[in-house]
Amino acid sequence: PHSSRGDEAMPPSCPQDDVEDDVAAEPMDESGAGGAEAEAASAGQGGFPRHVVCKLCQKPGDAGEGGRMLFVEPGCWAHVNCLAWSSEVVETVAGDLTKVHSMLQRTRKIGCAHCGQPGASIGCNVHRCKRSFHLPCLGPAGALVLADRRVYCEEHRSV
């Protein structure tokens, strides 16, 4: 469960992403028409375009447990809660999230201990444990999640 998949199965890293899926591109419907009608038709959960997915949990939408989507840079979006709960991201007193780019580079090769997909950024708080998870995978994986953002995998939840 800890192995990561080969590079061909991984999404590109955000800092060097191709911007083909950038939300600035005007959506088109099946007839080739663009504009507000096509954008409304392509809107997913929370009214956010379905083709924009979080670089961490790989889920679309601007609602749910991931929270609203934050623009990281062209072609790169992530849910605010996926970022804030990431092990190496630090939230400053002013509310800024730091170390986001280095975390995105590191997690693109880390498979989730629950689903196996890359982008797992929330590690078990036991130092020797190498299990990492996506935010939406914590509950199904049986992890213990504390209010201070410490997380323990199912094996270490009683530590």
Side-chain angles (χ1 to χ4, degrees):
H2 304 292
S3 64
S4 61
R5 300 180 188 273
D7 283 337
E8 67 279 352
M10 288 183 214
S13 65
C14 282
Q16 288 85 34
D17 261 353
D18 295 321
V19 290
E20 293 173 5
D21 65 340
D22 190 10
V23 294
E26 191 168 307
M28 297 167 95
D29 64 15
E30 296 82 31
S31 69
E37 297 83 18
E39 188 168 335
S42 72
Q45 184 179 9
F48 208 79
R50 278 189 286 259
H51 69 280
V52 177
V53 297
C54 175
K55 288 296 180 181
L56 296 171
C57 74
Q58 313 299 315
K59 296 193 182 295
D62 198 15
E65 70 184 302
R68 66 187 175 93
M69 287 282 228
L70 294 181
F71 173 80
V72 178
E73 61 182 41
C76 184
W77 292 80
H79 291 115
V80 65
N81 292 329
C82 291
L83 290 169
W85 278 81
S86 295
S87 297
E88 71 187 74
V89 171
V90 176
E91 186 174 1
T92 67
V93 175
D96 297 327
L97 298 174
T98 63
K99 301 184 181 180
V100 170
H101 291 282
S102 61
M103 177 273 301
L104 289 170
Q105 285 291 343
R106 184 183 62 79
T107 61
R108 65 185 275 257
K109 295 184 179 184
I110 297 176
C112 176
H114 178 71
C115 73
Q117 294 298 308
S121 63
I122 304 168
C124 177
N125 207 53
V126 172
H127 182 69
R128 69 184 180 280
C129 184
K130 301 296 181 199
R131 290 182 186 90
S132 291
F133 304 90
H134 300 112
L135 180 65
C137 293
L138 289 171
L144 173 65
V145 180
L146 303 177
D148 63 0
R149 295 188 183 159
R150 286 183 295 153
V151 172
Y152 295 90
C153 68
E154 189 171 34
E155 182 181 333
H156 297 117
R157 61 181 294 138
S158 62
V159 173

